[in-house]
Amino acid sequence: MMGPPRSIGVVGAGSWGTALASLLAEKGHEVSLWALEPEVVREARELGENRTYLPGIPLPARLTVSGNLEEVVRGKEMVLSVVPSQFVSSLFREAATYLRPDAQVVSASKGIEVTTGRRMDQVFSSLLTPEQTHSLTFLSGPSFAVEVARRSPTA
């Protein structure tokens, strides 16, 4: 890890969000992961695994999983969006109220907003402050979540 540990909130506990949150936690960052489904929160807390979306991959002990969006986002230095594109507007309309003014927002949400055809940069620009939009970052690639979670090389 380069630099001191960061406080990071990951919104979306599907396979991709869980893989990214796990990697960040293993690198020493303070990571909280938001899950919509109560069974995902329960599995993570009781079994140390997200069996619903990423079965067979143990979660780092330091990764916190919660169903409370405010708890996961409030005060974090960085917030990753890893929810399906059609839910970004509704979730980040709420999440934006909890973001630090200087929070770095990273979108790993794939695709476009189905109802409007807007790209994720357009969606986030409509929800974030100019300062947050200035540091908005996008993460994409040809990898699969299970490959990332297993630390397999991707190309």
Side-chain angles (χ1 to χ4, degrees):
M1 176 178 62
M2 301 196 64
R6 297 184 76 180
S7 60
I8 302 172
V10 179
V11 180
S15 57
W16 187 221
T18 301
L20 292 174
S22 293
L23 286 172
L24 290 165
E26 286 177 3
K27 294 292 183 186
H29 298 290
E30 299 168 20
V31 183
S32 298
L33 175 63
W34 177 81
L36 173 66
E37 304 91 341
E39 65 272 16
V40 172
V41 175
R42 183 191 55 75
E43 290 168 357
R45 291 179 178 173
E46 294 176 9
L47 307 173
E49 186 177 320
N50 181 344
R51 289 191 177 168
T52 300
Y53 294 105
L54 205 57
I57 307 294
L59 299 175
R62 66 180 299 127
L63 176 62
T64 303
V65 181
S66 173
N68 183 315
L69 184 62
E70 180 178 4
E71 181 180 293
V72 169
V73 174
R74 183 175 293 286
K76 299 299 189 292
E77 295 171 70
M78 177 186 290
V79 175
L80 276 75
S81 169
V82 201
V83 295
S85 58
Q86 65 265 26
F87 303 117
V88 169
S89 284
S90 59
L91 277 169
F92 272 82
R93 191 168 288 112
E94 178 185 350
T97 64
Y98 310 129
L99 289 174
R100 288 171 37 161
D102 62 342
Q104 181 177 9
V105 177
V106 177
S107 174
S109 295
K110 302 172 187 172
I112 61 170
E113 190 173 54
V114 176
T115 56
T116 65
R118 293 189 303 173
R119 300 180 316 267
M120 290 299 96
D121 64 311
Q122 295 169 314
V123 172
F124 279 103
S125 292
S126 72
L127 299 168
L128 302 176
T129 67
E131 183 180 20
Q132 292 161 337
T133 301
H134 181 71
S135 65
L136 183 59
T137 307
F138 295 87
L139 175 66
S140 64
S143 56
F144 292 98
V146 71
E147 292 173 340
V148 171
R150 289 183 180 149
R151 312 311 182 265
S152 299
T154 60

